[in-house]
Amino acid sequence: DAKTTQPNSMESNEEEPVHLPCNHSTISGTDYIHWYRQLPSQGPEYVIHGLTSNVNNRMASLAIAEDRKSSTLILHRATLRDAAVYYCILQLYSGGGADGLTFGKGTHLIIQP
Amino acid sequence: DAGITQSPRHKVTETGTPVTLRCHQTENHRYMYWYRQDPGHGLRLIHYSYGVKDTDKGEVSDGYSVSRSKTEDFLLTLESATSSQTSVYFCAISESNNRVAEAFFGQGTRLTVV
């Protein structure tokens, strides 16, 4: 299975942009890149996903490298509520099963006031 | 918020006793999953279901069984709890298993086996 590599932790200041990197050098052409985050004492929640083109939604932006071997989740203006563990996940498709999500250890994002 | 309810939210049980955790959804999603989360391991898939009475094993299924007799309920059973099963358990649901499907997670059940 394709794997992802993320920094263990990152720190940023409130109201500043945050760029969370993810390396996935063994990604296949059919793998989607998903990001989830987990706030303290809660279950993970979906943030964004993409295949090749950059994507924007109300929560964040996803920038995908042209060779798809890396991606960056961008929080445009971090708030204290964005402090969480962020997971970069490659969504595989078996065609017959329900694989689920393969979580790594993620990046622990710390936001300083 | 997606309608997912896990029960109980917290449980302490003794080694060797059976334990059943329940996941209930009101979204009518086809796919349901049980994960466990331990320090240093992230979330790991235990079992999943792709329909009523249709279930399969995940990465860490030993010591666990599941059942799904109704679309809305997915039960996780520890037949004889061990201390290594002390963990936080999360249920998730998904409408589809395709590559763009979004998964919704419950609030988790903290299980302690003493």
Side-chain angles (χ1 to χ4, degrees), chain A residues 30 34 36 38 97-98 101 105, chain B residues 33 35 37 40 97 99-100 103:
Chain A
T30 56
H34 287 243
Y36 281 74
Q38 187 173 18
L101 297 169
K105 297 181 182 179
Chain B
Y33 308 83
Y35 292 85
Q37 185 171 33
N97 71 331
R99 291 164 293 163
V100 299

Side-chain angles (χ1 to χ4, degrees), chain A residues 8-22:
Chain A
N8 289 332
S9 65
M10 290 184 62
E11 197 167 313
S12 184
N13 296 320
E14 196 175 11
E15 299 187 3
E16 290 185 357
V18 179
H19 291 238
L20 296 163
C22 181

Side-chain angles (χ1 to χ4, degrees), chain A residues 2-62:
Chain A
K3 294 176 67 173
T4 62
T5 304
Q6 300 177 251
N8 289 332
S9 65
M10 290 184 62
E11 197 167 313
S12 184
N13 296 320
E14 196 175 11
E15 299 187 3
E16 290 185 357
V18 179
H19 291 238
L20 296 163
C22 181
N23 288 318
H24 28 78
S25 58
T26 59
I27 190 171
S28 76
T30 56
D31 293 341
Y32 273 75
I33 302 158
H34 287 243
W35 284 80
Y36 281 74
R37 72 179 186 180
Q38 187 173 18
L39 303 173
S41 301
Q42 294 190 26
E45 64 175 345
Y46 167 83
V47 178
I48 200 166
H49 75 266
L51 181 63
T52 56
S53 303
N54 294 345
V55 184
N56 300 296
N57 67 19
R58 63 175 180 81
M59 289 182 70
S61 296
L62 177 60

Side-chain angles (χ1 to χ4, degrees), chain B residues 39-83:
Chain B
H41 284 279
L43 279 85
R44 292 180 291 174
L45 183 64
I46 304 171
H47 280 280
Y48 61 90
S49 170
Y50 45 97
V52 173
K53 298 191 190 309
D54 292 323
T55 64
D56 208 343
K57 297 178 180 180
E59 177 189 357
V60 290
S61 60
D62 287 349
Y64 302 95
S65 62
V66 290
S67 65
R68 191 167 177 202
S69 58
K70 298 183 292 185
T71 298
E72 58 265 35
D73 289 325
F74 192 32
L75 305 180
L76 177 70
T77 297
L78 291 65
E79 300 290 348
S80 179
T82 67
S83 59

